[in-house]
Amino acid sequence: MILEKVINRIEIQSEYKNLVDKYIDHVRTEFKGEIHSIYMCGSIPKGTATPFKSDADFTIVCENPKDIDYERLSNIKDRLLEEYPFVTKIDTIICSIDDVLNKPNEWGFWVKIICVCIHGDDIGEKVPPIIISPEFILDLNTETKEEVDRIHRSLSNTSDNAMKTRYIKGYSKRLIRALYSLVIVDTGVWQDDMIKMKNSILDYCDIDSALVDYLYACYLDCNSVLVEEFLEIADEVYSYFENALKAMAASRNSLG
């Protein structure tokens, strides 16, 4: 079964068009000759963004990510957030051309399936069709443990309430996405809608439904969530996920 693209057509709402155009212009001007292409994912390119609730998610593909200075990129973000306060935040992921082409089940998947090209030549078209398989699921989650550990540490160490809210929301989303990757063989599609992800997990995954409902509730509203309680449940969910991956890897190796 081959994965289809999440966003087939760009439908940016009028209030976000200038933001996207200025982001492209600023990045191209700041990093002349270094940018191969720029992509977006999420609600803005889908045309479903909500002012003061939706953020802007960009991905930059370049020859060498070290050429893109994060401080200069952060300055662009700060200027745009000041000019467009209805955007909650602006995130930018940077990857290399080699990563996209040589890691099709990781960066290739991200650019080809999740994102849509808004500037430059779409390198995702050069990525071979992505077939849903245990190998794909394992490759897709190569960095999941590292990401989860990083968010776990950040949440444990921060005393800032705003950052706690951001980490809990992000951690919940990351775990739900990880669980969803386990059932993509059953669904046949990659969802970027969190409620559809949650429902599919409940339909096809044997994890305790209360854990999934808790994570989803935290994703929606984490203002009153206790950090200690959240981390305990997050650890339980990740333990389930990690065991499922190990079983999948063992099964694949035995068949190989």
Side-chain angles (χ1 to χ4, degrees):
M1 192 180 303
I2 296 175
L3 270 179
E4 299 294 331
K5 201 169 184 66
V6 170
I7 304 173
N8 292 311
R9 184 175 62 183
I10 302 174
E11 297 186 15
I12 299 174
Q13 297 140 283
S14 58
E15 60 264 48
Y16 293 93
K17 285 185 181 295
N18 285 341
L19 164 73
V20 174
D21 289 342
K22 286 187 178 182
Y23 180 91
I24 294 171
D25 289 343
H26 289 336
V27 168
R28 289 182 64 199
T29 300
E30 189 69 34
F31 304 103
K32 289 180 180 178
E34 306 294 349
I35 306 297
H36 173 274
S37 44
I38 303 175
Y39 304 77
M40 287 196 80
C41 64
S43 59
I44 291 179
K46 288 176 67 178
T48 59
T50 302
F52 300 103
K53 290 186 178 181
S54 299
D55 54 12
D57 295 302
F58 296 93
T59 294
I60 293 174
V61 176
C62 57
E63 190 72 36
N64 183 2
K66 292 182 180 179
D67 293 333
I68 310 301
D69 181 76
Y70 276 93
E71 185 174 348
R72 289 155 64 193
L73 196 59
S74 181
N75 290 336
I76 293 173
K77 176 197 71 175
D78 292 342
R79 293 201 302 270
L80 289 175
L81 287 175
E82 186 174 348
E83 187 172 355
Y84 300 95
F86 56 85
V87 179
T88 57
K89 64 186 177 77
I90 296 174
D91 287 331
T92 301
I93 293 172
I94 304 171
C95 64
S96 71
I97 296 171
D98 285 344
D99 279 341
V100 175
L101 297 179
N102 296 325
K103 298 179 180 178
N105 288 346
E106 299 169 57
W107 286 111
F109 159 78
W110 178 257
V111 171
K112 183 181 183 70
I113 303 300
I114 303 297
C115 297
V116 60
C117 186
I118 58 172
H119 169 74
D121 296 326
D122 186 357
I123 197 171
E125 294 180 354
K126 296 182 180 180
V127 176
I130 295 177
I131 299 173
I132 300 173
S133 65
E135 180 181 11
F136 163 68
I137 296 169
L138 291 167
D139 285 348
L140 183 61
N141 287 291
T142 299
E143 298 180 357
T144 299
K145 178 172 175 49
E146 182 181 338
E147 293 173 7
V148 165
D149 287 345
R150 175 181 54 79
I151 302 175
H152 192 292
R153 287 194 303 271
S154 298
L155 179 55
S156 300
N157 295 328
T158 187
S159 58
D160 182 88
N161 287 330
M163 292 306 297
K164 284 181 182 177
T165 298
R166 181 174 178 177
Y167 288 138
I168 290 174
K169 183 180 179 69
Y171 201 173
S172 301
K173 182 177 182 179
R174 188 67 189 86
L175 288 173
I176 291 172
R177 286 183 55 152
L179 290 174
Y180 182 78
S181 72
L182 298 176
V183 304
I184 194 171
V185 173
D186 301 291
T187 66
V189 297
W190 184 266
Q191 294 286 359
D192 67 346
D193 183 294
M194 295 300 288
I195 185 63
K196 290 181 180 179
M197 277 192 177
K198 186 202 80 163
N199 290 338
S200 294
I201 293 166
L202 296 178
D203 286 341
Y204 298 108
C205 205
D206 62 1
I207 190 172
D208 185 347
S209 61
L211 299 176
V212 181
D213 287 334
Y214 177 87
L215 285 181
Y216 184 69
C218 290
Y219 168 76
L220 292 180
D221 182 8
C222 51
N223 288 322
S224 59
V225 175
L226 298 176
V227 172
E228 294 78 9
E229 178 186 64
F230 174 81
L231 288 176
E232 183 178 341
I233 290 178
D235 286 346
E236 186 174 352
V237 171
Y238 184 76
S239 178
Y240 171 91
F241 168 76
E242 189 173 46
N243 288 334
L245 277 191
K246 288 178 179 177
M248 187 180 297
S251 176
R252 184 191 63 171
N253 293 336
S254 65
L255 292 174

